Amino acid sequence: MKSLSPFLCALFLLLLPARAQSVQYTEFDLPNGLHVILHEDHSLPIVSVNLWYHVGSANEKPKRTGFAHLFEHLMFEGSKNVPEGDFDNLLEAVGGDNNGSTTSDRTNYWITVPSNALEMALFLESDRMGWLLDTMTAERVNGQREVVKNELRQSYANVPYGMASIIVDELTFPAGHPYHWPTIGYMADLNAATHKDVADFFKRYYVPNNASLVIAGDVDPVKTRALVEKWFGSIKPGQPVLPVAPPPAELTRVVRKTIQDKVQLPRLDIAWITPPHYAPGDAELDLVAQVLAGGKNSRLYKRLVYDLQVAQEVSAYQASQRLASTFHIVLTPRPGHTTEELKKMVDEELERLRKEPVSQRELDRARNGLEAAFLAGLEQLSGFGGKADMLNAYYVATGNPDYFALDLNRYRAVRASDLSAVVRSFLPADRRVELTVVPEVKK
Amino acid sequence: MIGLLLLVLLLVSPVLGQDRTRPPESGRPPSLTLPTVHKRALSNGIPVWVVERHQVPVVAVDLLLTSGSASDPAGAYGMASLTAGMLDEGAGARDALALADELDYLGASLGASTSYDATSVGLYVPVARLAQALPVMADVVLRPTFPAAELERRRTELLVEFSRLSDDPGTIARLAFPHALFGPEHRYGTGLVGRMAFVKAVNREQLAAFHASRYRPEKAAFIVVGDVKVDEVVGLLEAQFGSWKATGPVEESGVAAPAQHGPRTVYLVDKPGAAQSVIRIGRVGVDRATPDYFALEVLNTILGGSFTSRLNQNLREKNGYTYGARSGFDMRRLPGPFVATAAVQTDKTAEAVREFFVELDGMKKPVPEGELIKARNNVAYGFPSSFATNQDVAGQLEEQLLYGLPDDYYATYVDKILAVTPAEVQAAAEKQLQTDSVAVVIVGDVKVIRPKLEALKLGPIKVVELNELL
């Protein structure tokens, strides 16, 4: 990601409307396989051009990690008809904004422009889809490699507990599984990447038949379609890209590890492998996370932080992804208390959840909060998690861009007893990861 | 024969219609139709500004108080922030848990926070639940109880956070920079959360008294943006806040205009083993009423306010020292800091510092026309995005209210930006970017970075201990 704000290892934010918000759209395919979705929203004179390539770090191989993300960086460095630096120069000159991000499952790019500059955005986006390699020199690869190394430092190495998120995934998924290595990659692999490696990656994955384009905002659908055909029509398709399909990962025991960091307080990350995004159990686990640690009255917050005051922080979340999700509980004890102490309490609370259904109030509280959060997302047209991004996300995951109401229904259909069922099925005490970060021992 | 070829080419050309050899024209930028701001008042005189936006069934209701952390009494830096933070720990008939339960159940988020100049209590809720959420907001604003037990809990939480300060170089830098620039006496030299000594000693009576003196109708204004009808929402606010009367004496701590930083000095805070150095370079800048406002917006865009800015292009794209570099003027009621900042790899700290100065000094030369036009356009034509969400719009109106910006401020904003001249930018740079009086604050591995920093001969080097910042 090229922005000035920290790297988004984008977990899908759970988003759902309070009533059946339907987002109107039209869609078509170009002959070269590019899928295009158009959505009109004239509330502001702006347009969001949102492009997803269906490739992420999950498509990489061991020893060649970090490519998808490095490649994302290179996409901003110019193409055959766009001199280096001009991608941003041209957009800024028309009052545009842009960014991108890489996750395990996909790479997204978005451009926001005032509506008069839609064609500029399409020119830039199509030029880098079709003509990036023409100007992608070894020097450019080296330059962005250095930027990515600093991203690794700024977002992980120089951040308290920063390396924990990388190590948790390594412990959760076996070596060779696409979710084992971090999207940002390992320094050694990045150092070994050659210009040819990177070019091969582009030719294989950055093809129109492996991409979907959403154009949303102050647009005329007929004129917009003509512009898309004009600028993207002559890009040649590539070979079909098969989705990654590894054997499902499973934890069979408790995997424990302790690492040191320059921190004052220890921290325990507990993680489980859980159902993929949109699969049965996924929405339920979002709600379990809220019941456990969302707000003062949540099970863990109330007991550990508010009543007993043995924890400084507690959080829980379902990180939903395409192949498999992970569920996390993260605990920071207060001075004078230990991670073991907190873990025991967490296990007691999980056992309570397994045995007794939550109250209707608890369920409604959890659900209403998630619904409100989604409405907030609908307000934003462009950018990460905005309407255009969600249209693309829903299309890629389900084939239906207007999945908004159906997404909501996943949560509305949940009953209190369902939460107990998913805790029993997916959050066992004896099959999970426990990563402890302890303060560095001074020599 | 040639005619036939030409004919064939003409027939084929629509398919080859895209001329990639140069970027397409963009035509005239559309003008933004600014939302209508309905200006009303409650019966006790509190202004209420309402913008109706019906795209999504949500509403933001913000209470703005024109008194913030800058009004903390001497010896009690942190009072305004803690008071705001404690509002929802007990209010009206509800205790902390009951308040959280009700708000969470309504899907409402209610947050209170301060800046140096203001306090704001913001409610964001699906509009269907506004009528149920407003009474809770009213309790929290008008009738907080500051329970002693909750204060103890929050106190311990905050003190533990103070003890963790050494964990995060970014946090350390955000405290160390104003400390170096303004000193420990001036309110701006300490963060909003205040000093540890204050947090240790404060009692609930002090919070209650502070609340009584600062949360008063004559300092208040409401901004409402969302899926509401003007008259209806004003009626709801009247019912909840219309009989609000001040209870405590008026008491306001003044903040004196800050003195400029002395001669250039380097301040180091040690973070042994750090992978990066967090650099903050700057000096006292301008207040919000500065006549140079528009010139500085454009100046900062060029220097460090965009991806193509000079600082970012130099430190990230050209030299690969950082993931991102930026700059900014924090314009408060009195002059706030100007800062240029980046987190750079440890072994390039001195090199990066040198490049900061290259760019800061470079701004004093005339800006090439193309670069100036790009920056003006970036700000002017990107303007509509500042009105994307309800909270964006509310934020714009808050700024207008707080700083007394004229009624036509947003209507004339684009034209004023486009009218900024190279001479104005240069004059502003000469006035503001005086690099002989900056504070250079670096949080990093002092043992590793100090020798090459000394070789830069920037000025005296002071090592700041963490406990000076607590």
Side-chain angles (χ1 to χ4, degrees):
Chain A
M1 183 160 125
K2 58 174 285 239
S3 86
L4 306 177
S5 57
F7 175 72
L8 265 183
C9 226
L11 318 168
F12 278 116
L13 298 176
L14 17 111
L15 306 169
L16 35 131
R19 56 170 189 249
Q21 293 274 334
S22 178
V23 179
Q24 305 291 313
Y25 68 95
T26 54
E27 63 185 333
F28 58 95
D29 286 310
L30 293 186
N32 59 18
L34 179 68
H35 189 75
V36 187
I37 297 160
L38 305 180
H39 165 67
E40 281 186 76
D41 178 344
H42 301 281
S43 6
L44 283 176
I46 62 176
V47 183
S48 179
V49 175
N50 182 289
L51 185 59
W52 279 42
Y53 289 94
H54 311 151
V55 59
S57 58
N59 296 80
E60 295 161 0
K61 298 276 181 292
K63 300 261 188 281
R64 282 290 176 271
T65 65
F67 272 54
H69 173 249
L70 174 63
F71 205 81
E72 184 226 308
H73 273 250
L74 289 165
M75 283 284 274
F76 299 90
E77 297 304 303
S79 47
K80 180 174 181 187
N81 299 288
V82 182
E84 189 176 3
D86 269 10
F87 185 88
D88 291 291
N89 283 329
L90 289 168
L91 279 175
E92 287 183 16
V94 295
D97 191 14
N98 80 94
N99 214 324
S101 72
T102 315
T103 65
S104 308
D105 302 325
R106 63 74 183 136
T107 311
N108 71 349
Y109 299 90
W110 55 263
I111 298 175
T112 312
V113 281
S115 35
N116 63 305
L118 169 60
E119 196 163 6
M120 171 71 81
L122 296 177
F123 159 70
L124 291 169
E125 201 59 85
S126 61
D127 210 69
R128 62 182 179 175
M129 178 189 278
W131 292 272
L132 190 92
L133 290 188
D134 296 61
T135 57
M136 195 191 78
T137 60
E139 196 191 346
R140 248 174 237 189
V141 174
N142 295 339
Q144 287 309 304
R145 193 194 342 252
E146 292 309 304
V147 175
V148 168
K149 286 185 191 174
N150 269 304
E151 187 179 348
L152 189 50
R153 293 180 186 107
Q154 184 170 318
S155 303
Y156 295 94
N158 215 35
V159 167
Y161 313 99
M163 298 307 292
S165 60
I166 292 179
I167 295 170
V168 162
D169 285 342
E170 289 171 351
L171 297 172
T172 306
F173 296 99
H177 188 283
Y179 290 172
H180 175 83
W181 54 86
T183 298
I184 199 164
Y186 297 115
M187 211 77 104
D189 295 352
L190 290 168
N191 282 334
T194 64
H195 180 273
K196 181 175 186 305
D197 288 330
V198 181
D200 286 347
F201 188 87
F202 177 78
K203 286 180 202 152
R204 184 149 176 226
Y205 294 111
Y206 274 70
V207 290
N209 49 300
N210 195 39
S212 46
L213 173 65
V214 171
I215 303 175
D218 186 25
V219 294
D220 170 330
V222 172
K223 288 189 183 139
T224 304
R225 178 169 183 153
L227 287 175
V228 172
E229 286 166 350
K230 171 181 173 185
W231 290 105
F232 288 86
S234 64
I235 301 175
K236 293 193 183 15
Q239 293 304 309
V241 176
L242 295 172
V244 177
E250 208 192 331
L251 289 164
T252 55
R253 59 186 179 89
V254 179
V255 179
R256 285 191 188 90
K257 189 179 174 99
T258 299
I259 61 173
Q260 293 185 15
D261 198 355
K262 300 175 187 51
V263 293
Q264 293 298 303
L265 299 178
R267 199 180 84 171
L268 170 63
D269 289 37
I270 311 176
W272 292 263
I273 298 177
T274 53
H277 203 171
Y278 305 104
D282 176 59
E284 290 84 341
L285 285 163
D286 278 331
L287 291 165
V288 167
Q290 290 297 302
V291 166
L292 279 174
K296 274 193 185 114
N297 294 280
S298 64
R299 297 283 174 104
L300 294 179
Y301 187 97
K302 182 172 184 301
R303 183 174 172 189
L304 274 58
V305 179
Y306 187 85
D307 288 339
L308 297 174
Q309 300 185 30
V310 297
Q312 178 69 359
E313 285 161 23
V314 63
S315 66
Y317 58 96
Q318 162 85 339
S320 303
Q321 294 186 277
R322 191 178 77 82
L323 297 171
S325 305
T326 48
F327 189 91
H328 302 257
I329 298 178
V330 185
L331 307 147
T332 309
R334 283 257 176 99
H337 297 278
T338 67
T339 51
E340 285 303 302
E341 193 186 337
L342 268 51
K343 187 172 74 172
K344 193 158 161 293
M345 293 177 189
V346 165
D347 279 324
E348 285 167 6
E349 292 304 324
L350 287 175
E351 186 60 9
R352 259 184 74 203
L353 276 178
R354 285 185 200 107
K355 295 211 159 81
E356 305 157 21
V358 303
S359 68
Q360 191 59 40
R361 181 85 177 175
E362 268 179 302
L363 178 57
D364 290 341
R365 213 167 51 209
R367 190 162 30 212
N368 291 347
L370 299 184
E371 292 194 12
F374 187 62
L375 286 177
L378 277 180
E379 280 213 77
Q380 188 82 36
L381 175 76
S382 193
F384 298 114
K387 245 196 311 183
D389 207 28
M390 287 314 298
L391 283 161
N392 223 331
Y394 283 142
Y395 165 71
V396 170
T398 73
N400 176 4
D402 184 18
Y403 199 75
F404 298 78
L406 290 167
D407 201 357
L408 165 68
N409 286 343
R410 298 195 296 139
Y411 296 83
R412 288 193 171 162
V414 174
R415 298 152 306 175
S417 54
D418 296 328
L419 300 194
S420 302
V422 295
V423 176
R424 285 193 298 269
S425 302
F426 302 114
L427 306 183
D430 56 356
R431 279 163 284 141
R432 65 194 192 188
V433 169
E434 296 173 10
L435 174 67
T436 307
V437 182
V438 295
E440 217 168 59
V441 176
K442 303 246 189 305
K443 299 186 184 56
Chain B
M1 178 64 175
I2 295 197
L4 189 59
L5 277 172
L6 280 174
L7 186 60
V8 168
L9 279 171
L10 277 171
L11 288 172
V12 166
S13 66
V15 173
L16 306 169
Q18 27 136 354
D19 172 16
R20 289 195 176 271
T21 59
R22 54 189 175 177
E25 293 296 320
S26 293
R28 288 202 58 211
S31 56
L32 170 68
T33 308
L34 287 169
T36 306
V37 182
H38 302 270
K39 294 186 181 172
R40 301 288 173 82
L42 302 185
S43 58
N44 55 8
I46 301 178
V48 181
W49 290 9
V50 183
V51 174
E52 291 192 17
R53 293 175 101 234
H54 301 289
Q55 293 95 310
V56 183
V58 279
V59 59
V61 179
D62 287 354
L63 166 70
L64 185 74
L65 293 169
T66 55
S67 171
S69 287
S71 86
D72 285 345
Y77 289 173
M79 182 77 82
S81 170
L82 185 58
T83 303
M86 289 277 310
L87 292 178
D88 68 354
E89 295 285 1
R94 293 190 182 93
D95 65 11
L97 293 175
L99 282 168
D101 174 68
E102 185 63 17
L103 288 165
D104 288 347
Y105 180 74
L106 295 173
S109 73
L110 181 66
S113 64
T114 66
S115 63
Y116 286 99
D117 292 334
T119 299
S120 85
V121 183
L123 174 71
Y124 185 84
V125 65
V127 71
R129 306 201 189 105
L130 175 62
Q132 297 156 268
L134 267 182
V136 183
M137 182 181 179
D139 271 347
V140 158
V141 169
L142 304 177
R143 293 170 283 272
T145 50
F146 303 109
E150 307 298 356
L151 174 57
E152 284 322 299
R153 197 189 94 246
R154 292 282 291 136
R155 192 198 313 274
T156 309
E157 214 166 65
L158 286 167
L159 292 176
V160 171
E161 283 309 303
F162 274 113
S163 77
R164 298 170 86 185
L165 178 61
S166 60
D167 282 9
D168 183 21
T171 305
I172 299 170
R174 276 191 294 279
L175 290 181
F177 177 72
H179 186 264
L181 201 52
F182 298 100
E185 301 302 319
H186 195 279
R187 184 61 187 89
Y188 288 175
T190 304
L192 299 172
V193 170
R195 321 285 325 225
M196 194 165 75
F198 160 75
V199 173
K200 275 192 178 150
V202 66
N203 61 46
R204 64 159 305 283
E205 286 72 29
Q206 288 168 314
L207 295 174
F210 187 83
H211 173 265
S213 83
R214 303 298 201 269
Y215 287 60
R216 335 169 57 87
E218 63 267 31
K219 288 183 174 296
F222 284 96
I223 293 162
V224 182
V225 183
D227 187 18
V228 293
K229 297 261 182 21
V230 182
D231 292 333
E232 218 177 292
V233 77
V234 173
L236 289 175
L237 287 171
E238 175 69 35
Q240 298 301 326
F241 295 94
S243 47
W244 181 6
K245 286 189 180 30
T247 57
V250 183
E251 230 186 280
E252 195 77 28
S253 305
V255 178
Q260 184 55 263
H261 186 259
R264 184 167 64 218
T265 305
V266 179
Y267 304 84
L268 300 180
V269 188
D270 198 14
K271 176 76 175 156
Q276 291 186 314
S277 298
V278 182
I279 300 171
R280 293 196 156 233
I281 299 175
R283 62 200 290 283
V284 178
V286 295
D287 62 75
R288 186 58 181 84
T290 176
D292 297 334
Y293 180 82
F294 296 97
L296 287 172
E297 278 287 299
V298 175
L299 182 161
N300 190 67
T301 302
I302 296 168
L303 173 61
S306 65
F307 190 81
T308 70
S309 70
R310 294 187 180 183
L311 280 172
N312 199 49
Q313 288 298 304
N314 181 333
L315 292 167
R316 172 176 158 144
E317 292 294 290
K318 187 168 111 200
N319 283 301
Y321 295 155
T322 182
Y323 181 41
R326 63 176 201 278
S327 64
F329 286 86
D330 186 353
M331 304 181 193
R332 305 172 185 164
R333 245 192 237 114
L334 292 171
F338 162 75
V339 66
T341 181
V344 306
Q345 58 193 83
T346 300
D347 63 344
K348 297 291 185 197
T349 301
E351 289 86 337
V353 169
R354 194 191 316 116
E355 293 307 315
F356 268 104
F357 282 98
V358 165
E359 299 305 343
L360 288 167
D361 289 328
M363 284 302 301
K364 294 164 201 163
K365 302 195 188 63
V367 174
E369 190 185 11
E371 198 181 2
L372 184 75
I373 291 173
K374 180 184 64 170
R376 286 194 315 221
N377 288 0
N378 188 6
V379 178
Y381 301 138
F383 185 59
S385 290
S386 311
F387 292 84
T389 66
N390 289 347
Q391 281 169 323
D392 289 338
V393 174
Q396 298 296 329
L397 295 178
E398 271 164 37
E399 186 161 341
Q400 190 172 16
L401 250 175
L402 190 56
Y403 297 109
L405 304 178
D407 285 340
D408 66 351
Y409 179 77
Y410 294 113
T412 56
Y413 181 85
V414 167
D415 289 339
K416 293 226 164 75
I417 290 287
L418 292 174
V420 169
T421 66
E424 284 166 346
V425 170
Q426 193 173 6
E430 277 159 11
K431 221 188 321 180
Q432 298 303 329
L433 304 181
Q434 298 179 40
T435 47
D436 55 2
S437 55
V438 292
V440 180
V441 175
I442 305 175
V443 180
D445 192 330
V446 171
K447 201 162 87 265
V448 172
I449 66 180
R450 186 167 184 155
K452 288 206 301 196
L453 284 171
E454 276 168 352
L456 289 179
K457 294 198 191 324
L458 291 169
I461 297 185
K462 295 192 175 151
V463 175
V464 176
E465 299 300 326
L466 266 186
N467 58 23
E468 296 175 54
L469 304 175
L470 292 173

